[in-house]
């Protein structure tokens, strides 16, 4: 007896009484409930480890289901099957059902018009809203569909109109050069870089760059012809253009003031405010309120301080309060409290959006370019228009004060300007797609050459004119689909800094050692003595790599799986500290991680030396999931691993699946004989050897151990009846 429904005393799950009970309270007919009950019972009997809970079964029997990323793939597939067969009438879903699945939905209800993003809660994108609304009404089955957008305490009809009437953002290039791409282009170009350069020049990013330049020239022309706009609007238009250009440069990594995710988010928010008249007026009122409150607090402080000064006898403010008479002590306490209020008011004014916009504008005007000049000219023009003794804030030639900017905002029109540059509010893309991407490709090639993955066959003054060949390690880099495949191979001992471009790192560490600042390490026989005669001619990066290979070969298959997960799985939102995660590792894993950290330092140093973008050269050693992956690969049950992880089932499956995919890729790289991997103390290696055959074999073994249900989803959900099969065929 797996399940006893609430309110029914018959012990039989498939009894007519049970079936009728759910037909009465739910959305399905008697026959539909019976069909669903058979399917649920069959699923739970065949999949005891991931069977549906009693609460979930009750929902399914009522014709109600859920579909989101936290569910197991098998559970989501079960929901999709019932919904396609119209055995489920209502599905509560996230965006997982918004695209790519043909479902017989006649009505879509959007319960919230906002979702959490990088900058907190944000309104839905127009394209996402339309995509979700478009699920209502199945072509070929329905003549119409309905979409209901529900108002909330935070979003109302105006927000819905804004989302639905906004323009859909344009498609933008996601092209980014990578280590594997660079190796494959070198191979396809027979060692020459002509093909690689041609690919970059023909990319969508390069086309976007040309379009952006034309758009910028056009926008600057519009700024020069604002005869009908008021001086305030002219200035705000130029200011908005300047911030949009700054945003584009920051996204491209070419901004003189630096780039970061936080800066991009801030500039995006500022541009959004400047382009929306309603939002601009709102932040102006807020700034005015904060400024007025600050002025009041400052006046109160001046009054209290004047009262203190006018007292007949002097008061030493450094004395303890209890040494002064009560009246004076009360006055001093009030002054202290009032000063804190003034400081708070100053923080609120300085943190206001008007103050932030003014600060960014001042930084922009310090630059030497056409946009900065246009911004300074428009500011001088509007100041000249308001040049009077009354407007003391309008100082010719001075910086733009927040109060001055707020003064212009109050006097400008309330209409929306909208984005001046169409690509401003799009996702990040390079402002100079062709040159920037090609320069990054050259940086990648320099790093690959330093690590012996590509080797110059013919010398040339220019790297672009050289001819290369790809080593065994380079072939492995080109065959891996990780974000930074060179780091993955390096962390597994398949490549190292053969050119010793990281020598400065050792000099720095030697200097720390000379000063007595160094980590205390445990001495053991496996450590390589740096000063021994046997290894005196072997570069330090090679010695570290060879030791790492030996430590890796000591791992079991399950330990290898856990270690590989650290290379490919990102940190969860709520994660343990690095020390706590490290302590959960086995002794062999801890040794390997220590060696990998040295390799990471070297690779980061070389990548910085050749100015490789941090996103392209991202290296990670995330230990949070190592213990969970290790136990799954060691054969622990799904329920035990799920309890150990504390994650949602769907999240755990994605973690294990990503590690499994990486292990399969590593296990399928071309076989390289073991010769040359074990150092003889004499031979200095100048090429990357690639993945050691024993490490490759461990990855294959670990993949075989991990590739089991529910990580290996073998649920086809084939329908038994002829009618069901035809429905599936129609969906396809």
């Amino acid at each position: 007896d797996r399940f006893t429904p609430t309110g029914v005393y018959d012990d039989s799950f498939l009894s007519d009484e049970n079936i009728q009970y759910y037909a009465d309270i739910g959305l399905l007919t008697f026959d539909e409930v019976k069909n669903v009950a058979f399917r649920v019972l069959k699923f739970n009997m065949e999949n005891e480890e991931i069977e549906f809970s009693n609460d979930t079964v009750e929902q399914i029997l009522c014709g109600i289901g859920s579909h989101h990323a936290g569910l197991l793939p098998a559970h989501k597939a079960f929901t999709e099957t019932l919904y396609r067969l119209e055995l489920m009438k209502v599905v509560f879903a996230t965006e997982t059902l918004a695209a790519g699945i043909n479902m017989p939905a006649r009505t879509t209800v959007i319960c919230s018009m906002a979702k959490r993003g990088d900058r907190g809660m944000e309104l839905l994108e127009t394209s996402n809203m339309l995509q979700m609304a478009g699920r209502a009404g199945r072509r070929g089955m329905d003549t119409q569909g309905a979409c209901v957008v529900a108002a909330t305490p935070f979003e109302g009809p105006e927000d819905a109109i804004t989302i639905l009437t906004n323009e859909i953002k344009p498609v933008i290039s996601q092209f980014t050069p990578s280590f594997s791409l660079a190796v494959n282009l070198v191979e396809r170009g027979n060692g020459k870089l002509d093909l690689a350069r041609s690919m970059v020049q023909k990319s969508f990013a390069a086309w976007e760059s040309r379009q952006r330049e034309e758009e910028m020239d056009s926008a600057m022309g519009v700024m020069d012809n604002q005869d009908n706009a008021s001086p305030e609007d002219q200035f705000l238009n130029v200011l908005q253009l300047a911030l949009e250009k700054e945003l584009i440069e920051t996204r491209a990594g070419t901004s003189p003031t630096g780039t970061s995710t936080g800066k991009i988010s801030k500039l995006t928010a500022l541009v959004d405010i400047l382009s929306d008249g309603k939002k601009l007026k709102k932040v102006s009122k807020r700034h005015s309120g904060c400024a007025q409150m600050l002025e009041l607090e400052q006046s109160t402080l001046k009054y209290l301080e004047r009262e203190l000064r006018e007292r007949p006898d002097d008061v030493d403010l450094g004395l303890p309060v209890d040494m002064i008479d009560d009246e004076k002590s009360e006055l001093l306490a009030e002054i202290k409290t009032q000063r804190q209020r003034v400081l708070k008011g100053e923080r609120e004014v300085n943190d206001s959006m008007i103050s932030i916009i003014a600060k960014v504008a001042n930084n922009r005007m310090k630059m030497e370019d056409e946009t900065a000049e246009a911004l300074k000219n428009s500011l001088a023009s509007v100041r000249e228009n308001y040049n009077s003794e009354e407007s003391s804030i309008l100082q010719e030639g001075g910086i733009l004060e927040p109060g001055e900017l707020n003064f212009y905002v109050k006097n400008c029109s309330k209409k929306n300007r909208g984005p001046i540059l169409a690509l401003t509010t799009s996702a990040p893309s390079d402002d100079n797609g062709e040159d920037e991407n090609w320069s990054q490709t050259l940086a990648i090639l320099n790093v690959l050459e330093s690590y012996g993955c590509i080797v110059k066959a013919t010398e040339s003054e220019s790297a672009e004119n050289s001819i290369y060949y790809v080593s065994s390690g380079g072939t492995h880099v080109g065959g891996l689909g990780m974000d930074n495949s060179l780091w993955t191979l390096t962390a597994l001992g398949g490549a190292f800094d053969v050119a010793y471009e990281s020598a400065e790192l050792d000099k720095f560490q030697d200097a720390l050692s000379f000063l007595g600042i160094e980590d205390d390490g445990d001495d053991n026989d496996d450590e390589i003595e740096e000063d021994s005669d046997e290894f005196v001619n072997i570069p330090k990066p090679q010695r570290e790599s060879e030791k790492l290979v030996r430590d890796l070969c000591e791992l079991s298959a399950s330990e290898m799986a856990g270690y590989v997960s650290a290379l490919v799985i990102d940190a969860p939102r709520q994660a343990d500290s690095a020390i706590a995660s490290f302590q959960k590792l086995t002794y062999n894993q801890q040794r390997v991680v220590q060696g990998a950290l040295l390799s990471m330092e070297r690779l980061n140093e070389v990548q910085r030396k050749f100015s490789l973008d941090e996103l392209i050269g991202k290296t990670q050693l995330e230990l949070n999931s190592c213990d969970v992956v290790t136990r799954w690969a060691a054969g622990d049950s799904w329920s035990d691993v799920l309890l150990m992880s504390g994650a949602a089932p769907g999240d755990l499956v994605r973690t294990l699946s990503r590690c499994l995919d990486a292990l399969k890729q590593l296990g399928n790289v071309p076989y390289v004989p073991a010769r040359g991997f074990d150092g003889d103390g004499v031979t200095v290696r100048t090429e990357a050897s690639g993945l050691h055959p024993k490490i490759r074999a461990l990855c294959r073994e670990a993949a075989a151990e991990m590739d089991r249900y529910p990580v290996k989803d073998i649920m086809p959900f084939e329908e038994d009846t002829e009618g069901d099969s035809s429905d599936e065929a129609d969906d396809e």
Side-chain angles (χ1 to χ4, degrees):
D1 180 12
R2 292 180 171 276
F3 174 75
T4 302
T6 304
V8 178
Y9 300 97
D10 193 324
D11 291 336
S12 173
F13 175 58
L14 297 177
S15 69
D16 288 345
E17 290 81 2
N18 277 0
I19 301 300
Q20 188 60 53
Y21 173 79
Y22 288 103
D24 292 339
I25 68 170
L27 305 175
L28 303 178
T29 65
F30 181 91
D31 291 337
E32 288 174 334
V33 174
K34 193 168 187 177
N35 190 343
V36 171
F38 273 111
R39 293 173 182 273
V40 170
L41 185 60
K42 180 182 178 183
F43 181 95
N44 282 354
M45 291 180 65
E46 294 178 351
N47 306 279
E48 293 187 11
E49 265 198 304
I50 60 168
E51 65 180 7
F52 290 112
S53 66
N54 288 356
D55 290 340
T56 302
V57 171
E58 281 200 318
Q59 295 168 7
I60 294 174
L61 293 178
C62 288
I64 302 171
S66 60
H67 194 288
H68 55 83
L71 295 177
L72 288 171
H75 289 181
K76 289 193 289 185
F78 191 88
T79 297
E80 293 166 16
T81 300
L82 293 183
Y83 199 44
R84 279 199 296 266
L85 298 175
E86 299 186 22
L87 295 175
M88 186 173 285
K89 305 302 182 181
V90 176
V91 175
F92 290 84
T94 57
E95 291 172 313
T96 56
L97 277 182
I101 300 177
N102 188 14
M103 293 293 183
R106 293 186 179 87
T107 302
T108 298
V109 180
I110 299 176
C111 300
S112 174
M113 289 175 276
K115 60 179 291 187
R116 187 171 299 281
D118 295 335
R119 302 193 301 272
M121 294 300 295
E122 300 175 297
L123 289 179
L124 293 172
E125 297 285 351
T126 301
S127 56
N128 289 349
M129 173 79 90
L130 295 177
Q131 186 69 39
M132 288 187 285
R135 297 302 93 198
R138 188 178 182 187
R139 188 173 183 179
M141 295 183 64
D142 300 307
T143 57
Q144 62 182 10
C147 177
V148 179
V149 181
T152 71
F154 307 102
E155 304 98 26
E158 291 184 358
D159 296 305
I161 293 172
T162 299
I163 297 173
L164 292 172
T165 57
N166 279 345
E167 292 186 4
I168 296 177
K169 293 181 179 179
V171 177
I172 56 96
S173 172
Q174 299 295 326
F175 173 74
T176 303
S178 65
F179 285 100
S180 57
L181 175 65
V183 169
N184 290 323
L185 289 177
V186 170
E187 282 189 321
R188 288 184 59 186
N190 296 320
K192 297 182 180 180
L193 302 186
D194 297 345
L195 177 64
R197 187 175 185 86
S198 175
M199 287 283 291
V200 173
Q201 290 175 338
K202 293 178 180 179
S203 69
F204 185 43
W207 179 85
E208 272 190 329
S209 175
R210 293 190 293 270
Q211 292 292 108
R212 199 175 296 112
E213 290 175 1
E214 294 174 2
E215 190 181 44
M216 184 68 72
D217 293 338
S218 175
M220 292 304 297
V222 172
M223 293 297 103
D224 294 335
N225 296 280
Q226 303 185 86
D227 297 334
N228 297 326
S230 66
E232 300 92 338
D233 283 315
Q234 290 181 20
F235 170 69
L236 291 176
N237 285 337
V238 177
L239 175 58
Q240 181 182 335
L241 175 63
L243 294 186
E244 289 188 22
K245 186 176 180 181
E246 174 75 6
L247 174 58
I248 291 175
E249 292 175 349
T250 303
R251 284 172 170 169
T254 59
S255 173
T257 58
T259 182
S260 67
T261 303
K263 183 180 177 183
I264 292 173
S265 299
K266 182 175 74 174
L267 285 172
T268 302
L270 297 184
V271 169
D272 182 52
I273 290 171
L274 281 171
S275 63
D276 189 319
K278 184 179 178 181
K279 289 182 180 179
L280 188 58
K281 292 293 183 180
K282 188 175 181 179
V283 299
S284 173
K285 290 180 180 179
R286 185 176 298 142
H287 177 86
S288 298
C290 292
Q292 291 173 2
M293 183 60 66
L294 175 60
E295 185 178 352
L296 178 62
E297 299 292 1
Q298 289 173 334
S299 299
T300 303
L301 178 61
K302 289 180 181 179
Y303 172 80
L304 293 173
E305 290 176 339
R306 185 172 66 250
E307 183 180 347
L308 180 63
R309 288 194 301 269
E310 291 176 354
R311 296 189 68 83
D313 51 342
D314 295 333
V315 176
D316 186 354
L317 301 182
L319 291 176
V321 175
D322 57 2
M323 296 182 65
I324 309 173
D325 62 77
D326 293 341
E327 186 176 347
K328 291 180 181 178
S329 64
E330 289 179 4
L331 182 58
L332 289 174
E334 287 183 17
I335 291 175
K336 181 179 179 181
T337 302
Q338 191 60 33
R339 285 174 178 169
Q340 293 175 346
R341 290 174 179 169
V342 169
L343 289 175
K344 180 182 178 182
E346 290 175 344
R347 285 195 298 269
E348 290 177 350
V349 170
N350 293 332
D351 292 341
S352 71
M353 291 306 250
I354 292 291
S355 297
I356 294 173
I357 292 174
K359 182 179 179 181
V360 174
N362 287 320
N363 291 335
R364 189 67 192 179
M365 285 189 285
K366 293 177 183 179
M367 301 178 188
E368 301 294 334
D369 59 17
E370 184 180 359
T371 306
E373 193 65 29
L375 187 57
K376 286 186 282 189
N377 291 338
S378 63
L379 179 59
S381 176
V382 73
R383 280 174 170 173
E384 183 179 353
N385 188 64
Y386 282 99
N387 189 15
S388 66
E389 295 181 359
E390 298 177 1
S391 303
S392 59
I393 60 173
L394 308 181
Q395 300 290 333
E396 184 176 355
I399 64 172
L400 177 64
E401 296 290 348
E404 180 183 359
L405 175 60
N406 199 40
F407 180 78
Y408 300 149
V409 171
K410 289 180 180 179
N411 290 279
C412 73
S413 62
K414 297 181 180 180
K415 66 179 182 179
N416 292 340
R417 276 176 287 276
I420 297 174
L421 302 178
L423 293 176
T424 298
T425 53
S426 304
S429 59
D430 292 322
D431 186 36
N432 188 8
E434 177 182 342
D435 293 339
E436 179 64 21
N437 278 325
W438 178 240
S439 66
Q440 287 299 303
T441 303
L442 289 176
I444 288 173
L445 292 170
N446 287 329
V447 176
L448 287 169
E449 185 180 358
S450 300
Y451 270 70
C453 294
I454 60 173
V455 183
K456 282 185 179 178
T458 59
E459 291 291 338
S460 176
E461 295 182 1
S462 172
E464 298 184 43
N465 297 326
S466 301
I467 298 179
Y468 300 86
Y469 69 85
V470 178
S471 66
S472 298
T475 300
H476 287 183
V477 169
L480 297 176
M482 291 77 171
D483 293 336
N484 187 340
S485 53
L486 176 60
W487 160 238
T488 303
L489 187 67
T490 300
L492 290 168
F496 64 91
D497 181 15
V498 299
Y500 209 179
E501 295 287 351
S502 58
E504 291 297 324
L505 181 64
D506 290 329
K507 292 180 181 179
F508 177 73
Q509 292 175 342
D510 290 342
L512 292 179
S513 178
F514 177 77
L515 295 173
I517 308 173
E518 59 179 346
D519 295 332
D520 295 330
D522 295 332
D523 296 331
N524 57 65
D525 296 335
D526 292 333
E527 297 291 340
I528 297 177
E529 296 293 340
E530 297 183 11
D531 298 328
S532 64
D533 294 337
E534 182 182 0
F535 294 99
V536 70
N537 294 321
I538 304 300
K540 193 172 182 180
Q542 180 176 333
R543 299 201 301 270
E544 292 173 353
S545 177
E546 290 172 352
K547 180 183 183 304
L548 178 60
V549 169
R550 291 197 297 273
D551 289 342
L552 285 164
C553 290
E554 294 297 321
L555 296 178
S556 65
S558 60
E559 290 174 328
M560 178 62 73
Y563 174 65
V564 169
S565 72
L567 307 178
V568 298
I569 297 174
D570 296 328
R573 291 181 179 177
Q574 295 181 344
D576 294 335
S577 66
I579 295 177
S581 298
F582 182 79
Q583 292 173 341
K584 294 178 182 178
L585 305 181
T586 66
Y587 173 73
N588 287 335
Q589 285 176 323
Q590 290 178 350
R591 288 173 58 86
V592 169
V593 167
Q594 289 173 327
L597 288 173
L598 296 174
S599 299
M600 178 187 287
E601 281 189 279
R602 292 198 181 279
L603 180 56
N604 288 336
E605 176 69 18
V606 175
Q607 290 180 154
R608 281 192 296 267
K609 184 173 183 178
F610 290 111
S611 302
L612 184 64
D613 186 275
E614 292 182 0
L615 294 178
I616 297 175
K618 177 185 176 183
T619 57
Q620 67 176 51
L621 199 60
E622 180 52 57
L623 306 178
N624 269 280
S625 301
C626 284
D627 57 331
V628 175
V629 175
T630 300
R631 295 317 310 160
W632 176 254
D636 282 19
S637 68
W638 169 255
S639 56
D640 289 343
V641 173
L642 183 62
L643 180 63
M644 179 182 181
S645 69
D651 294 335
L652 179 57
V653 164
R654 280 192 299 278
T655 295
L656 297 175
S657 297
R658 188 165 184 180
C659 180
L660 174 60
D661 176 69
L663 289 168
K664 286 183 176 180
Q665 290 187 52
L666 292 166
N668 287 327
V669 297
Y671 175 82
V672 177
R675 297 187 303 274
F677 280 97
D678 299 324
D680 56 9
V682 178
T683 304
V684 176
R685 291 151 55 190
T686 58
E687 296 182 12
S689 301
L691 203 61
H692 191 286
K694 185 171 182 180
I695 297 175
R696 177 177 177 271
L698 284 172
C699 290
R700 296 169 73 93
E701 183 181 347
E705 294 295 332
M706 290 189 65
D707 197 11
R708 67 183 195 274
Y709 189 69
V711 177
K712 179 180 180 180
D713 194 357
I714 58 174
M715 296 294 294
F717 291 103
E718 296 179 354
E719 304 304 326
D720 298 330
T721 65
E722 183 177 351
D724 292 346
S725 299
S726 62
D727 283 344
E728 292 289 330
D730 290 340
D731 290 344
E732 296 174 358

